[in-house]
């Protein structure tokens, strides 16, 4: 960690203390799933299933962390419409999360290819997260990470995940009213952009990141 950085390394015991009796949800695509696994490792958990080819990738995940009596969830919602439905489900079920960490954008750029529609649903989500059910919940937005174009592994990704195209979705999220309703915003792009060599397929990054 650079000397000028205000962050510092937290030991598993310190993280366990902060997560004591907490219920946390990570909502989004496969890049968000990596953040879910990273959080588990910071809590002292091993995550061999992360790289197990037999593990179902496009599904929800859950871990009960005994050391901190916390519940860590990953909810598969790769596109903005999925995020909207997922948040509505949390409210309807009154799931009682202490913190929700969310990120969408790359799948919308790759599959939906409609920035205007993406922006509209983000505005709809603004009203969803104002629900009294989520009033005490920490709501964190993670910006889409940097795409390493030369490492993308399919013609479709190289066509639709060009930096200038992904930037439109990143800007749309940043300029939305939704951001004013977030407890915090994590700039994943700023974190990953200098670490392009750590990306093994142009989208996902090594455990080091």
């Amino acid at each position: 960690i650079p000397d000028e950085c205000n962050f510092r390394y937290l030991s598993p015991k310190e993280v366990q203390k902060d997560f004591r009796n907490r219920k946390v949800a990570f909502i989004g695509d496969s890049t968000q799933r990596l953040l879910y696994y990273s959080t588990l490792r910071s809590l002292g958990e091993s995550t061999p299933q992360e790289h197990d080819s037999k593990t179902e990738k496009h599904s929800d995940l859950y871990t009960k962390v005994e050391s901190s009596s916390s519940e860590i969830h990953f909810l598969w919602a790769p596109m903005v419409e999925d995020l909207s439905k997922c948040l509505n489900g949390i409210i309807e079920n009154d799931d009682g999360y202490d913190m929700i960490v969310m990120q969408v954008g790359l799948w919308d750029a790759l599959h939906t290819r409609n920035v205007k529609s993406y922006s509209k649903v983000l505005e709809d989500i603004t009203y969803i997260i104002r629900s009294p059910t989520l009033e005490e919940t920490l709501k964190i937005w993670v910006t889409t990470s940097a795409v390493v174009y030369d490492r993308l592994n399919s013609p479709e990704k190289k066509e639709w995940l060009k930096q200038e195209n992904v930037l439109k979705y990143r800007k749309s999220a940043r300029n939305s009213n939704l951001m004013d309703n977030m407890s915090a915003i994590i700039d994943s792009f700023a974190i990953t952009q200098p670490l392009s060599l750590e990306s093994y397929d142009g989208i996902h990054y090594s455990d080091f990141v």
Side-chain angles (χ1 to χ4, degrees):
I1 300 175
D3 292 337
E4 66 274 13
C5 182
N6 292 323
F7 292 98
R8 68 177 181 84
Y9 171 77
L10 296 176
S11 70
K13 285 189 177 180
E14 289 177 294
V15 180
Q16 289 163 14
K17 181 179 179 181
D18 290 336
F19 275 72
R20 176 73 56 190
N21 298 319
R22 300 298 186 184
K23 185 177 181 181
V24 178
F26 292 88
I27 309 175
D29 59 18
S30 53
T31 59
Q32 189 73 332
R33 185 174 60 231
L34 293 183
L35 189 54
Y36 160 81
Y37 281 124
S38 177
T39 300
L40 290 178
R41 289 193 296 274
S42 73
L43 285 161
E45 297 287 303
S46 61
T47 59
Q49 67 274 30
E50 178 181 4
H51 304 293
D52 187 347
S53 60
K54 296 179 181 179
T55 301
E56 175 59 44
K57 299 300 183 183
H58 299 170
S59 63
D60 297 347
L61 300 168
Y62 165 74
T63 300
K64 173 72 173 180
V65 182
E66 299 296 341
S67 59
S68 59
S69 299
S70 55
E71 297 180 24
I72 314 297
H73 297 251
F74 167 71
L75 305 178
W76 173 251
M79 292 188 278
V80 70
E81 286 281 4
D82 301 317
L83 174 60
S84 177
K85 293 176 183 176
C86 190
L87 290 170
N88 271 320
I90 288 173
I91 292 170
E92 290 172 7
N93 297 326
D94 195 12
D95 286 329
Y97 286 103
D98 296 292
M99 181 168 68
I100 294 175
V101 186
M102 61 197 90
Q103 178 194 65
V104 289
L106 291 181
W107 269 58
D108 291 278
L110 181 60
H111 298 291
T112 307
R113 305 164 188 173
N114 189 326
V115 179
K116 186 177 291 187
S117 174
Y118 176 79
S119 300
K120 181 182 182 303
V121 180
L122 285 179
E123 295 304 326
D124 293 341
I125 292 174
T126 301
Y127 294 98
I128 295 173
I129 66 169
R130 289 174 180 168
S131 165
T133 303
L134 301 178
E135 186 175 1
E136 301 298 322
T137 302
L138 285 175
K139 296 168 282 287
I140 299 176
W141 182 266
V142 181
T143 66
T144 52
S145 53
V147 173
V148 185
Y149 183 80
D150 292 340
R151 297 195 174 192
L152 294 174
N153 54 19
S154 76
E156 183 183 28
K157 289 178 181 177
K158 289 194 172 185
E159 174 65 24
W160 295 102
L161 294 183
K162 295 175 182 177
Q163 286 289 3
E164 59 268 26
N165 192 35
V166 175
L167 179 61
K168 295 176 183 177
Y169 289 84
R170 196 177 292 120
K171 282 185 174 180
S172 175
R174 186 175 64 222
N175 296 330
S176 71
N177 290 317
L178 179 62
M179 297 303 107
D180 294 331
N181 291 269
M182 290 290 119
S183 308
I185 299 171
I186 297 175
D187 192 345
S188 176
F189 177 77
I191 294 170
T192 55
Q193 188 182 32
L195 300 170
S196 60
L197 293 179
E198 294 293 331
S199 176
Y200 49 86
D201 61 1
I203 298 174
H204 304 95
Y205 288 78
S206 70
D207 293 347
F208 166 78
V209 179

